[in-house]
Amino acid sequence: MLQKDNFLAKTPISLIPDGALTTNKVLRNTYTLLSLTLLFSAFTAGIAVVSHAPPLHWLITLAGYFGLLFVVTRLRNSGWGLLAVFALTGFLGYTLGPILSLYLALPNGPQLVMTALAGTGAIFLALSGYALVSRKDFSFMGAFLMVGILVAFLASIGAVLFNFPMLSLAVSAMVILLMSGMILWQTSEIIHGGETNYIMATVTLYITIFNLFINLLQILGVMSGDD
């Protein structure tokens, strides 16, 4: 019995399952890369503002976005994927510059931009924190969110083509709700092992934050009477 006890005492016991270690690594890498891409995006947006860059045509913006997103997806399992992520987020940051310039030129523009930034940060931290602490599984939201995003995308194109301001405002409110759900869903996917690629997780969360900010800014502009 003594020998058996000694054997058990000397046997290493892993207190943390491999799945938990993998999840923590993906989560850590995702938030690290997300922070860096947000900083880089802010840098390229600042360049666009300072240089008074004109807005890109929406077709060019869509082509650049989907093209770079395709590249990121193809390279997600290699080191080149990191460069592709920064190319995508830098491009989106640059497209954000002219929008910021438009709002900053308003009498209360700086306040609107800061309020939108604060609101975006508060929503992201609150929802991601809730998903992390509660550890609830929000995978059931995936199909609903994908359909909702497709509907919002088509509606936004219609609002641009037909110059329908009320439809544009409704789409912005819809996008804010959808992006809030995306934060819960993507964070849950990382926690429960549904997403093991931190590059793709970063891109999803970045696009979520990007869309949250733009649509919050638009709604705040309308509410202030300056849009």
Side-chain angles (χ1 to χ4, degrees):
M1 177 65 70
L2 181 60
Q3 290 181 347
K4 182 177 181 181
D5 290 341
N6 289 337
F7 173 78
L8 292 175
K10 295 178 180 179
T11 301
I13 301 176
S14 177
L15 299 179
I16 304 177
D18 291 341
L21 289 173
T22 301
T23 297
N24 291 336
K25 182 178 180 181
V26 173
L27 194 64
R28 181 176 64 254
N29 289 342
T30 296
Y31 281 98
T32 299
L33 183 58
L34 179 63
S35 300
L36 294 175
T37 54
L38 287 172
L39 289 173
F40 183 65
S41 184
F43 174 72
T44 57
I47 291 177
V49 171
V50 172
S51 63
H52 304 287
L56 296 178
H57 192 280
W58 65 276
L59 286 176
I60 297 177
T61 300
L62 286 180
Y65 166 66
F66 284 112
L68 288 170
L69 183 60
F70 174 77
V71 174
V72 171
T73 303
R74 289 296 300 272
L75 300 176
R76 64 185 182 276
N77 294 317
S78 71
W80 291 104
L82 291 173
L83 293 178
V85 169
F86 281 99
L88 172 62
T89 56
F91 172 75
L92 290 177
Y94 187 83
T95 64
L96 182 61
I99 299 175
L100 293 177
S101 295
L102 178 65
Y103 280 92
L104 290 172
L106 300 174
N108 62 337
Q111 291 82 357
L112 289 175
V113 172
M114 293 305 298
T115 302
L117 279 173
T120 301
I123 292 173
F124 177 76
L125 290 176
L127 293 177
S128 59
Y130 175 75
L132 288 169
V133 173
S134 68
R135 303 191 71 82
K136 289 186 177 180
D137 188 355
F138 292 99
S139 60
F140 65 91
M141 299 173 63
F144 169 77
L145 290 171
M146 293 303 106
V147 173
I149 290 172
L150 178 60
V151 172
F153 175 71
L154 295 175
S156 65
I157 293 178
V160 171
L161 292 177
F162 300 105
N163 193 23
F164 194 1
M166 292 307 297
L167 177 58
S168 180
L169 184 62
V171 169
S172 291
M174 182 180 180
V175 169
I176 290 174
L177 292 176
L178 288 170
M179 293 302 103
S180 298
M182 283 294 293
I183 294 172
L184 292 173
W185 175 80
Q186 183 61 83
T187 307
S188 173
E189 286 292 285
I190 298 173
I191 294 173
H192 298 285
E195 178 60 82
T196 58
N197 189 295
Y198 72 94
I199 288 180
M200 296 309 299
T202 297
V203 169
T204 300
L205 289 176
Y206 173 88
I207 294 173
T208 297
I209 293 172
F210 183 87
N211 285 312
L212 258 180
F213 173 70
I214 288 180
N215 288 279
L216 272 176
L217 187 59
Q218 181 174 354
I219 289 180
L220 288 172
V222 172
M223 291 177 62
S224 67
D226 291 321
D227 195 40

